[in-house]
């Protein structure tokens, strides 16, 4: 059985860097070899679940102000029509509406982590949107509907970030993480270990530092977590594979659920 993975995609510069986090992402590719990956990306927002059905993806460079070599990078991912259709069947069975997208390429929320995990692009990909306007329970339900795919040798990868607030970043990149950021991630991991869904769904009120970690109107990077959790509802286990911080509080969390 394949896991559901939550991976912070951090800065696009991860595609060029060598550090403990990039090594942790690479180790995923050594540990897991699925027949396909479904990737929920924080950089594709829609109020109805969207599923990509693309034979070969273009690489989208949806960022600005980075070194030229980053814009020259390509990730030669191909799609998987059978997996996309199976995902659509599962959503239909759960009564969850969806739309097809047959044009969109892979944004950096998808291709940066995928390029580190499967550098040669040999594992097919089905990209899916996230809905930051839905409730956590609704996001969880979408992941839950797709959980059977894990038993069919499909990895569920949710790409975002537990803490993603440009207003709080410290660009001098101090070696010590901000205490409030560590406390927020510690709270999340503790609640996940207990699979305490009422608390997790109410994180805005209950989690310490929630308004700093997930600023109002900026939850698109956080919500992929609920899709990944839902996809592991049948096992409800978590492994913390890596956690570090850049710029004081940009979290590099890598968590595996189920599997």
């Amino acid at each position: 059985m394949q896991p559901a993975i939550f991976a912070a995609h951090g800065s696009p510069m991860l595609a060029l860097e060598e550090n403990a986090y990039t090594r942790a992402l690479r180790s995923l590719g050594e540990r897991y070899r699925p027949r396909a990956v479904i990737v929920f990306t924080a950089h594709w927002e829609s109020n109805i679940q969207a599923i990509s059905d693309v034979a070969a993806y273009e690489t989208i460079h949806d960022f600005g102000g980075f070194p030229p070599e980053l814009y020259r990078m390509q990730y030669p991912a191909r799609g998987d029509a059978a997996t996309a259709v199976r995902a659509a069947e599962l959503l239909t069975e759960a009564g969850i509406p969806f739309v097809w997208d047959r044009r969109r390429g892979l944004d950096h929320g998808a291709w940066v982590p995928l390029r580190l995990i499967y550098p040669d692009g040999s594992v097919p990909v089905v990209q899916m949107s996230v809905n930051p306007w839905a409730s956590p329970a609704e996001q969880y339900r979408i992941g839950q509907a797709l959980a059977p795919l894990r038993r069919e040798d499909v990895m569920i990868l949710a790409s975002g970030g537990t803490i993603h607030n440009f207003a709080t970043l410290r660009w001098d990149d101090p070696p010590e993480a901000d205490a409030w950021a560590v406390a927020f991630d510690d709270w999340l991991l503790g609640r996940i270990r207990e699979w305490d869904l009422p608390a997790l769904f109410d994180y805005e009120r209950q989690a310490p530092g929630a308004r700093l970690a997930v600023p109002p109107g900026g939850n698109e990077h956080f919500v992929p977590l609920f899709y990944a959790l839902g996809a592991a509802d049948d096992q409800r286990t978590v492994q913390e594979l890596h956690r570090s911080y850049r710029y004081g509080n940009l979290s590099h969390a890598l968590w595996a659920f189920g599997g």
Side-chain angles (χ1 to χ4, degrees):
M1 179 183 292
Q2 293 293 328
I5 300 288
F6 176 78
H9 61 248
S11 162
M13 288 297 292
L14 285 175
L16 296 172
E17 294 174 340
E18 176 67 29
N19 54 46
Y21 185 46
T22 60
R23 288 191 292 273
L25 287 168
R26 288 193 183 97
S27 72
L28 280 180
E30 299 166 3
R31 183 174 179 180
Y32 301 108
R33 196 72 187 181
R35 67 171 179 81
V37 175
I38 282 183
V39 56
F40 287 93
T41 169
H43 288 271
W44 186 12
E45 301 175 37
S46 65
N47 57 13
I48 298 176
Q49 182 61 58
I51 309 173
S52 66
D53 180 18
V54 176
Y57 289 97
E58 294 183 4
T59 303
I60 302 174
H61 300 90
D62 52 333
F63 43 75
F66 290 92
E69 55 264 41
L70 199 55
Y71 299 91
R72 291 194 291 266
M73 280 190 170
Q74 298 292 314
Y75 184 66
R78 66 186 191 279
D80 187 326
T83 299
V85 168
R86 178 66 175 136
E89 290 173 350
L90 291 169
L91 292 177
T92 299
E93 289 172 11
I96 296 169
F98 66 89
V99 295
W100 291 105
D101 186 291
R102 295 185 167 91
R103 295 185 297 176
R104 196 176 192 278
L106 291 182
D107 61 62
H108 82 271
W111 70 260
V112 168
L114 283 170
R115 189 176 184 275
L116 289 162
I117 300 168
Y118 301 114
D120 60 0
S122 59
V123 177
V125 177
V126 175
Q127 186 174 224
M128 302 189 76
S129 66
V130 299
N131 182 356
W133 306 283
S135 69
E138 291 172 299
Q139 295 151 358
Y140 187 94
R141 182 169 168 254
I142 290 171
Q144 192 174 9
L146 299 177
L149 285 167
R150 295 176 41 242
R151 298 185 183 275
E152 299 168 18
D153 201 24
V154 176
M155 177 189 285
I156 309 293
L157 174 63
S159 173
T162 55
I163 302 170
H164 190 275
N165 185 347
F166 287 119
T168 62
L169 296 182
R170 295 192 284 155
W171 297 107
D172 59 336
D173 202 9
E176 296 294 326
D178 292 339
W180 65 263
V182 176
F184 179 77
D185 279 346
D186 283 348
W187 182 90
L188 281 178
L189 190 58
R191 294 302 88 220
I192 292 169
R193 284 180 172 142
E194 298 295 324
W195 220 263
D196 185 349
L197 296 180
L200 288 164
F201 292 170
D202 193 33
Y203 74 93
E204 289 180 295
R205 289 197 310 152
Q206 297 194 29
R211 288 183 67 84
L212 289 174
V214 188
N219 67 337
E220 73 288 336
H221 279 73
F222 184 74
V223 300
L225 175 64
F226 294 120
Y227 294 87
L229 286 171
D233 182 77
D234 56 345
Q235 287 186 297
R236 298 191 169 194
T237 61
V238 59
Q239 298 177 67
E240 184 173 48
L241 303 179
H242 178 87
R243 197 198 319 173
S244 58
Y245 299 86
R246 296 288 300 273
Y247 312 114
N249 52 72
L250 181 64
S251 178
H252 286 165
L254 183 61
W255 296 334
F257 309 120

